[in-house]
Amino acid sequence: MDPIFLALIAIILSLIAYAVYQANEANKYWLKRGIPHRKPMLFFGNSGKHVLMRQHFTENLLEVLKDFPHEPAVGFYDLTRPILIIKDIELVEKILVKDFPQFMDRGFPLDKRNAIDISLFTMSGKEWRALRYKLSPLFSTTKLKTMYGSMAECSQSLTSILDQIQEKEDIDLKEYLGRFAMDVIGSCAYGIDAKNLSEPDNEFRKMGKKSFEPDRLQMLKFAIIMCAPKLAKLLRISLAKTDVTDYFCKIIRDTIDYRKKNDIVRNDFLQMFINLKDEGNLELRIKDPDDEYLQTEVSYSVENIEFTDDMMIGNAFQFLQAGFEATAAISLLTLYELSKNMEIQKKARLEIVINVEEAGGMLTYDALKKMTYLEQCIKETFRLYPPVAGLNRLCNKDYLLPNGYKIQAGELVMIPVATVHNDPKIYPEPEKFRPERFDPDQKIPSCAFLPFGNGPRICIAMRFAFLEIKHCIAKLLMNHEYKLSPNSKPFRLDKKSFFMIPADPLLFNIRQI
């Protein structure tokens, strides 16, 4: 036999043996630290069912944690990477809020060579703090009221289309709500008339849908990024799909160039990014810790952080993409729950009608704000179907838990949102849709409702997303009654999606009011 061939076989077998050894050693991480955990599979850890697309990650996580109902913290293996799952609600509050400086970053590896991957979501440390401070004014009440008019125009187009549907016709609302969400984010955030409702087969809609179509390659990329960040950086692996990012980045760049050439200024997300780029730097005020220790007057130093073209494009793309799928999914699932609970739907509609009549027959921003029961319905939907399964945080300094376990610097912790939202001690009979859980008189622990996270790293666009969903549902319930079609299949999660969306179409019968 050829010696070169034999040598090659020996090298391959050695690499396989080394990989097996390393994976086996990685699987001993929580055992060595005395943390309760489910025995992991080689290479797949505790997330094999999810990686192989046999189970949604939320279901995967709930199944594993069900073995440890009374443990405040549980060890978990996301493939070969150990993650400490924090279940105790008081510990959750400490990590997200009270002791936030020690868990500031998400632990998501950032490769600055890929502009698309540079966003507020992935940024860390001083850069994240500086940009977060600058972008916060985007979501003030004044800004939201300014965007509300564009939102109302999109919802009018949506209801006009739904008015044409026959009462006994089965309709999949997911497509319509997705087109609405894309029109809203295009118009409110970037001044783009995407025409998704009027021209559903256009390129904007196709690329938007494609960006949220996960496949096995996407799963593999995600696994490499999370479990082998150095390798991912070396190979320049990105979750973004090249043709999708090229398309949307061209739209963003063309819009920026057009505004600059024609001296156009709009009150939207993109204009904020343009203004930041024109300023050139993000100022970060840093307090001198010695002042506090010496009890003298607090002084600050100013550090300038460059706001680059890549930061502008990456964040603009992230805001654009983030507005597509999650808002449409929650709008759909709210209608789904209201269709299963017709008395709740009638109560929500009555509240809407009363407030609209008081506003002179218009669904105004102020009228919408008064619709507290509708808001409770949406919050209950968020509780049942949180957009993300878990909130990741990276420990940047050794941290001692009450049970004596020390979270070491560099360890990743996760808050299991779905587990918190399904805790019967907080939400009795958690499987049931009960909007009264969020009645203003009800007391819920501060970190027991986490669809947008909590603490300083809470989703910056939370108010915008909630306003869009609330306006959409109010407009639809004003005009139509929604019932679940008998032809609709039982609800089950799409195992391929990162979001909690149905695997099969939810079919509705709608009646114009």
Side-chain angles (χ1 to χ4, degrees):
M1 190 174 287
D2 189 343
I4 296 178
F5 178 74
L6 287 174
L8 183 61
I9 293 294
I11 291 171
I12 292 173
L13 290 175
S14 297
L15 289 173
I16 292 173
Y18 179 74
V20 170
Y21 170 77
Q22 290 293 332
N24 191 53
E25 286 299 301
N27 282 354
K28 297 176 183 177
Y29 189 87
W30 295 123
L31 182 65
K32 292 177 179 178
R33 284 158 179 76
I35 295 293
H37 62 282
R38 177 184 278 192
K39 185 177 179 180
M41 294 170 58
L42 194 65
F43 295 115
F44 289 99
N46 301 128
S47 56
K49 290 183 179 180
H50 167 61
V51 174
L52 297 174
M53 294 187 178
R54 296 174 183 169
Q55 204 174 46
H56 191 277
F57 184 65
T58 299
E59 295 171 320
N60 189 171
L61 198 57
L62 286 170
E63 180 186 281
V64 172
L65 296 180
K66 196 177 291 185
D67 293 347
F68 310 95
H70 306 298
E71 295 291 346
V74 176
F76 183 85
Y77 293 95
D78 190 9
L79 297 179
T80 59
R81 185 172 188 178
I83 300 176
L84 186 67
I85 308 293
I86 304 295
K87 293 173 55 188
D88 181 78
I89 199 67
E90 292 182 3
L91 288 179
V92 169
E93 184 177 13
K94 285 185 177 181
I95 287 170
L96 295 181
V97 183
K98 295 179 179 178
D99 296 324
F100 171 77
Q102 289 181 241
F103 298 92
M104 182 187 299
D105 301 330
R106 297 186 189 276
F108 198 87
L110 173 62
D111 185 355
K112 291 189 176 182
R113 295 173 297 177
N114 295 324
I116 293 306
D117 292 335
I118 304 175
S119 70
L120 199 62
F121 181 84
T122 57
M123 291 169 73
S124 59
K126 295 176 182 178
E127 287 184 332
W128 168 79
R129 287 174 56 198
L131 185 59
R132 170 80 185 210
Y133 176 76
K134 284 288 188 179
L135 294 183
S136 292
L138 267 176
F139 302 99
S140 66
T141 299
T142 302
K143 286 283 198 299
L144 292 177
K145 283 184 176 180
T146 302
M147 299 176 194
Y148 188 76
S150 297
M151 199 177 289
E153 289 177 9
C154 295
S155 68
Q156 184 58 48
S157 297
L158 174 61
T159 52
S160 296
I161 292 172
L162 296 182
D163 284 345
Q164 309 304 314
I165 295 171
Q166 299 298 315
E167 186 174 332
K168 294 183 179 180
E169 182 181 347
D170 285 349
I171 175 174
D172 179 6
L173 285 173
K174 180 182 178 182
E175 175 63 21
Y176 294 95
L177 294 171
R179 284 151 54 185
F180 166 76
M182 294 182 77
D183 275 350
V184 168
I185 197 70
S187 177
C188 295
Y190 299 97
I192 301 169
D193 184 8
K195 298 181 179 179
N196 294 291
L197 284 165
S198 59
E199 300 174 15
D201 294 325
N202 68 34
E203 195 72 7
F204 193 94
R205 175 61 180 155
K206 289 178 181 177
M207 285 297 180
K209 289 175 70 174
K210 187 175 181 179
S211 66
F212 287 99
E213 292 175 352
D215 49 37
R216 295 190 187 278
L217 179 59
Q218 291 292 96
M219 289 289 189
L220 178 61
K221 286 181 178 180
F222 186 77
I224 295 173
I225 289 171
M226 294 305 296
C227 298
K230 292 181 180 178
L231 177 62
K233 188 172 183 178
L234 179 66
L235 299 177
R236 300 194 70 169
I237 293 174
S238 172
L239 286 177
K241 298 176 180 177
T242 305
D243 56 341
V244 173
T245 56
D246 287 348
Y247 172 78
F248 284 114
C249 285
K250 185 179 185 303
I251 288 179
I252 293 168
R253 288 192 174 96
D254 288 349
T255 306
I256 291 171
D257 290 342
Y258 180 79
R259 290 191 188 185
K260 288 185 175 181
K261 287 177 182 178
N262 295 277
D263 200 25
I264 295 173
V265 177
R266 281 178 56 98
N267 201 2
D268 58 16
F269 297 177
L270 191 59
Q271 191 63 50
M272 176 70 85
F273 292 128
I274 293 171
N275 295 343
L276 287 176
K277 184 64 182 69
D278 290 342
E279 291 176 16
N281 292 303
L282 305 171
E283 286 189 355
L284 180 64
R285 300 183 73 203
I286 303 171
K287 183 167 66 174
D288 189 334
D290 289 340
D291 292 339
E292 188 174 342
Y293 176 74
L294 297 172
Q295 297 183 341
T296 60
E297 184 178 344
V298 176
S299 60
Y300 293 87
S301 61
V302 177
E303 181 174 327
N304 288 316
I305 297 172
E306 182 184 5
F307 188 72
T308 65
D309 284 342
D310 284 350
M311 279 188 186
M312 178 169 66
I313 296 299
N315 278 282
F317 176 75
Q318 181 67 34
F319 272 73
L320 186 66
Q321 194 179 44
F324 290 169
E325 187 81 352
T327 51
I330 292 298
S331 298
L332 174 68
L333 292 168
T334 301
L335 289 172
Y336 169 68
E337 288 295 337
L338 293 177
S339 297
K340 294 196 303 177
N341 301 274
M342 293 303 294
E343 288 304 314
I344 295 176
Q345 183 180 152
K346 290 177 183 177
K347 184 176 178 179
R349 181 179 293 107
L350 179 61
E351 179 189 58
I352 294 164
V353 170
I354 289 172
N355 282 283
V356 167
E357 286 179 353
E358 290 178 354
M362 301 292 290
L363 181 58
T364 63
Y365 180 93
D366 291 330
L368 192 68
K369 190 176 179 181
K370 295 177 183 178
M371 299 175 191
T372 55
Y373 187 72
L374 176 61
E375 185 167 315
Q376 290 170 215
C377 293
I378 297 169
K379 284 184 174 179
E380 178 68 346
T381 304
F382 267 119
R383 183 192 68 80
L384 283 169
Y385 310 99
V388 293
L391 305 171
N392 285 3
R393 293 294 185 269
L394 187 69
C395 181
N396 59 34
K397 183 181 178 182
D398 288 357
Y399 185 85
L400 192 65
L401 295 178
N403 65 0
Y405 176 75
K406 181 188 289 184
I407 303 177
Q408 298 178 0
E411 278 188 354
L412 194 65
V413 301
M414 179 191 288
I415 313 301
V417 177
T419 301
V420 173
H421 284 190
N422 283 276
D423 187 340
K425 296 192 294 295
I426 303 171
Y427 303 105
E429 296 184 290
E431 72 285 353
K432 294 185 178 180
F433 184 78
R434 291 181 176 173
E436 61 270 19
R437 301 182 202 274
F438 295 96
D439 187 279
D441 295 331
Q442 296 293 320
K443 290 185 178 180
I444 297 174
S446 64
C447 284
F449 183 64
L450 300 168
F452 297 97
N454 206 324
R457 198 121 199 181
I458 194 170
C459 174
I460 194 172
M462 174 183 69
R463 295 184 68 201
F464 176 84
F466 209 96
L467 176 67
E468 178 186 338
I469 296 166
K470 191 175 180 181
H471 172 81
C472 176
I473 300 300
K475 186 72 174 179
L476 295 183
L477 291 184
M478 275 176 60
N479 291 273
H480 306 96
E481 179 185 76
Y482 293 83
K483 290 184 178 179
L484 199 63
S485 166
N487 298 320
S488 195
K489 294 181 180 179
F491 182 91
R492 62 189 181 93
L493 288 175
D494 185 349
K495 301 168 187 176
K496 303 186 299 295
S497 177
F498 291 106
F499 296 107
M500 292 184 73
I501 60 175
D504 306 301
L506 296 178
L507 302 177
F508 294 84
N509 299 135
I510 65 176
R511 180 178 66 85
Q512 189 172 349
I513 298 175

